[in-house]
Amino acid sequence: MPSSALEVRGLVVRYGAIDAVRGVSFVVGTNESVALAGPNGGGKSSILNAIFGSLRTTGRSFGAITSGGTDILGLPSHRVARLGIALAPEGRMLAAGLSVRDNLLSGALALQGATDTRLAEVLAGFPVLAARLDRPAATLSGGEAQLLAIARGLMARPRLLLLDEPTLGLSPRARNEIAAALQAARAGGIALLLAEQSAQVAASLADRVLLMAGGRMRPDPLSPLQ
Ligand SMILES: Nc1ncnc2c1ncn2[C@@H]1O[C@H](COP(=O)(O)OP(=O)(O)OP(=O)(O)O)[C@@H](O)[C@H]1O
Ligand SMILES: [Mg+2]
């Protein structure tokens, strides 16, 4: 069994002439939760999207990203998902008009095995969603919608779950519910990599916080003179 869920080496993300990520390296252990923290425009979402193969149109990634010994840099999302990585994206990206159930099932496209069994397993950890299965996702509160985005990610039985600002705009109570859901995922053996603007919130959600600004990690272990 590999000792890391993810290895990122010298990652550069470029949108046209803009370098959004300027050579970032880090490792996420198999049973670790790591946060990328830092202000607007720091490059956090670009890193998560580069890993998941979901950079928008002009985005290009360079460097090396491996998971479980497989090189995943530049692979499309459906192939990254099949290798055991899921993303709960910025803004949640739920299908608002579809039911909670159908949103969950859309997360199982990469799943090898019985979807119904997995749905029951995931719902056991999310009683709030189990009680709202037939409601359109649009009727959920912000906290419930974020729980759905996380649960949808878990449907594919990932080894690594990526989360882009999972507590953005939520009340302290809803934030605690998200933190509990993330702890439960960890307890189930899933590694986590999340993006979060506040270093303080990041520290409450993850074991280890990597500070980012201007597309670099601060302090950058490879550039001590910065
Ligand atoms: N599709 C795109 N086209 C051009 N530039 C982009 C694109 N997406 C992001 N950028 C630029 O890349 C830089 C990093 O953005 P990114 O969204 O990765 O940062 P972030 O740390 O996630 O910020 P936030 O905390 O606001 O979510 C910014 O300067 C942003 O304007
Ligand atoms: Mg972002």
Side-chain angles (χ1 to χ4, degrees), residues 55-206:
L55 283 171
R56 291 204 202 109
T57 51
T58 61
R60 295 279 178 277
S61 52
F62 308 88
I65 306 178
T66 59
S67 179
T70 303
D71 184 0
I72 63 168
L73 184 94
L75 289 186
S77 299
H78 67 274
R79 292 195 48 202
V80 177
R82 261 192 259 133
L83 292 168
I85 299 178
L87 170 67
E90 189 165 35
R92 301 169 196 140
M93 300 299 177
L94 300 172
L98 292 187
S99 66
V100 168
R101 177 188 281 104
D102 286 345
N103 271 278
L104 288 169
L105 293 176
S106 76
L109 295 177
L111 182 68
Q112 332 267 343
T115 305
D116 289 351
T117 312
R118 185 59 186 156
L119 183 63
E121 284 169 4
V122 169
L123 285 173
F126 295 86
V128 167
L129 300 179
R132 291 163 174 73
L133 266 186
D134 295 313
R135 279 173 46 173
T139 66
L140 298 180
S141 71
E144 291 162 356
Q146 187 59 52
L147 288 174
L148 176 54
I150 293 170
R152 179 184 57 185
L154 294 175
M155 281 295 293
R157 220 180 251 122
R159 290 178 296 113
L160 170 67
L161 178 60
L162 312 170
L163 303 116
D164 202 342
E165 305 211 27
T167 66
L168 185 69
L170 300 185
S171 68
R173 199 181 124 206
R175 241 191 254 158
N176 288 340
E177 285 170 10
I178 300 300
L182 297 187
Q183 273 189 354
R186 280 284 307 291
I190 298 172
L192 305 176
L193 175 63
L194 58 99
E196 172 60 59
Q197 294 204 2
S198 150
Q200 199 185 345
V201 173
S204 74
L205 294 174

